[in-house]
Amino acid sequence: MSVIEKKLKDRSDSKCELCGNPHDLLVYNLPPENKESLETSILTCKTCVCQIENPDTTDANHWHCLSDSMWNEHLPVQIVSWRMLTRLKKTDLLEMMYLDEEALEWAKATGEGDDDEGKIIHKDSNGNILFDGDSVVLIKDLDVKGANFTAKRGAAVHNIKLVWDNAEQIEGRVEGQHIVILTQYVKKTK
């Protein structure tokens, strides 16, 4: 157990900071952050994480807990609550919630709250939504132009960065080289 996980368990009384579930807990780093810390992470259950990361699986009934978690004293919990309330279009609760400008900017960093029409969403070859800091695996050998090597199928790419103006591209390091990769050739890892 990491030091951050222990501190998060102490902070949350070993329960999901969103829904209160005491089972299947893990540390969730809020995108676009990628380092575990008390300021950028929450302790949450697998059910919440699965629905946060895969909007198509969102069960609105599960998220009744947001009316409590939105008042949590810890900013990362407030940020995730805002993002989920926005996704669920719970404007009545959103109107009651207050985030200062910096916190609101962080909450919107994943594109949650943008109009769906203009929103750029990066998805891997299986349709899973990608975020900054995710890890992916190449599903095909890729010739890297200008670097004179082939990125091999199965190669892991950690701590990816999304190309914010192109939903079909991500950036990452393969064999020590910083490259741009098409999302159709990657699979997200957990």
Side-chain angles (χ1 to χ4, degrees), residues 19 24 36 55 63-64 72 104 132 136 144 166 171 182:
C19 73
D24 296 324
E36 282 187 8
W63 295 102
H64 290 298
N72 190 292
L104 190 57
D132 275 338
V136 297
V144 180
N166 188 334
E171 297 176 358
L182 295 178

Side-chain angles (χ1 to χ4, degrees), residues 2-187:
S2 71
V3 174
I4 296 301
E5 185 176 359
K6 181 172 179 358
K7 288 181 179 182
L8 288 172
K9 283 186 174 187
D10 291 343
R11 176 173 97 181
S12 68
D13 196 25
S14 294
K15 294 180 183 167
C16 175
E17 293 186 275
L18 297 169
C19 73
N21 182 356
H23 305 291
D24 296 324
L25 300 174
L26 48 95
V27 176
Y28 175 70
N29 299 316
L30 278 64
E33 304 298 328
N34 55 19
K35 290 185 180 179
E36 282 187 8
S37 76
L38 287 176
E39 294 78 30
T40 61
S41 304
I42 63 172
L43 188 70
T44 189
C45 66
K46 286 184 181 177
T47 302
C48 286
V49 170
C50 286
Q51 292 188 40
I52 290 168
E53 292 184 343
N54 300 297
D56 297 340
T57 66
T58 302
D59 174 12
N61 290 325
H62 176 78
W63 295 102
H64 290 298
C65 57
L66 294 173
S67 59
D68 290 329
S69 63
M70 67 186 259
W71 302 113
N72 190 292
E73 65 183 296
H74 303 289
L75 184 59
V77 180
Q78 294 173 23
I79 298 296
V80 174
S81 296
W82 184 93
R83 289 175 180 173
M84 291 309 298
L85 286 169
T86 300
R87 181 182 300 168
L88 295 165
K89 299 183 180 5
K90 298 286 187 182
T91 53
D92 54 334
L93 293 175
L94 282 167
E95 287 173 0
M96 288 191 281
M97 196 172 180
Y98 173 77
L99 294 175
D100 65 30
E101 284 184 38
E102 189 175 315
L104 190 57
E105 186 177 315
W106 181 22
K108 291 180 176 182
T110 59
E112 210 69 64
D114 291 347
D115 293 335
D116 287 342
E117 198 172 297
K119 188 173 177 181
I120 293 178
I121 299 173
H122 294 72
K123 293 185 178 183
D124 71 0
S125 59
N126 294 330
N128 295 314
I129 294 179
L130 299 171
F131 297 102
D132 275 338
D134 280 347
S135 294
V136 297
V137 173
L138 300 179
I139 62 168
K140 171 182 175 173
D141 287 352
L142 302 174
D143 289 327
V144 180
K145 296 177 183 172
N148 296 328
F149 78 94
T150 300
K152 297 292 183 188
R153 184 175 121 199
V157 183
H158 302 288
N159 195 20
I160 65 168
K161 296 289 178 210
L162 304 179
V163 176
W164 287 101
D165 60 350
N166 188 334
E168 297 177 3
Q169 295 179 346
I170 59 172
E171 297 176 358
R173 287 198 171 279
V174 177
E175 294 185 23
Q177 295 283 331
H178 182 84
I179 63 172
V180 174
I181 307 166
L182 295 178
T183 56
Q184 65 187 353
Y185 301 128
V186 300
K187 179 174 76 172

